[in-house]
Amino acid sequence: MTRARRLGLAALLLTLAADQASKLWVLFGLALLPGQAIRFTPFVDLVFTWNRGISFSMFQMEGDIGRWGLTAFMLVASAGLAVWLWRTRDVLVALGLGLIVGGALGNAIDRIAYGAVFDFIRLDLKLFLWPAIFNIADAAIVVGVIVLLYDSLKPRGGNAPELP
């Protein structure tokens, strides 16, 4: 197994495990009620919310058609990204893909088990209150996309033409 593949699979599995463990801890260990918030650190609140949409609660989907449609989309997209992860030899690309797939699978598990994604992290940075409540899977997806964007913009070796 290549180094890139090992790193990508490790990122996927660690993301998935951290996401599901944190959700189970907040859901069942803290006994929060929907909408209830507690101060976790000076800049992080834990807030119980269900997200029936996608990132930042956009495109809210009520009912089984939306639930299963989003779940199917997430699983198909995850499968395609997992194939890319399996084929890449680039460590940075594998890391980004592992984070994205692990996060997408974590949120898909929520949709299957609960009918919605459990979000619970709100940042309060004193300068501003982060407008969205999210979870570890969401954060991993964002970081994974940033890693892929960075990789796509970094200079490549070879015979690149010089600019005048």
Side-chain angles (χ1 to χ4, degrees), residues 5-163:
R5 192 177 289 167
R6 281 193 309 269
L7 177 64
L9 289 174
L12 187 160
L13 294 173
L14 286 172
T15 297
L16 184 58
D19 176 64
Q20 289 298 297
S22 65
K23 289 173 180 173
L24 291 171
W25 174 67
V26 173
L27 264 173
F28 300 109
L30 295 181
L32 287 175
L33 300 173
Q36 183 183 5
I38 60 170
R39 179 62 50 149
F40 185 65
T41 72
F43 56 91
V44 175
D45 294 332
L46 300 180
V47 182
F48 185 123
T49 60
W50 291 111
N51 180 358
R52 288 178 168 64
I54 59 172
S55 295
F56 303 107
S57 298
M58 295 185 302
F59 309 117
Q60 291 291 312
M61 301 284 180
E62 296 295 331
D64 283 344
I65 293 174
R67 170 189 180 185
W68 294 112
L70 283 175
T71 302
F73 175 77
M74 291 169 82
L75 293 174
V76 168
S78 294
L81 293 173
V83 168
W84 183 9
L85 187 159
W86 195 255
R87 292 180 178 173
T88 189
R89 296 197 178 280
D90 187 299
V91 172
L92 205 53
V93 170
L95 175 63
L97 291 169
L99 291 169
I100 294 168
V101 174
L105 291 176
N107 284 340
I109 289 169
D110 285 10
R111 283 193 197 288
I112 292 166
Y114 310 117
V117 174
F118 179 59
D119 289 336
F120 61 92
I121 302 169
R122 180 176 62 198
L123 298 180
D124 184 357
L125 303 176
K126 301 300 177 210
L127 298 174
F128 71 98
L129 182 65
W130 187 258
I133 300 171
F134 60 98
N135 58 43
I136 290 175
D138 298 335
I141 291 167
V142 169
V143 170
V145 168
I146 291 169
V147 168
L148 290 180
L149 286 172
Y150 170 77
D151 180 73
S152 73
L153 296 173
K154 73 179 182 181
R156 304 284 181 204
N159 297 329
E162 290 187 29
L163 297 175

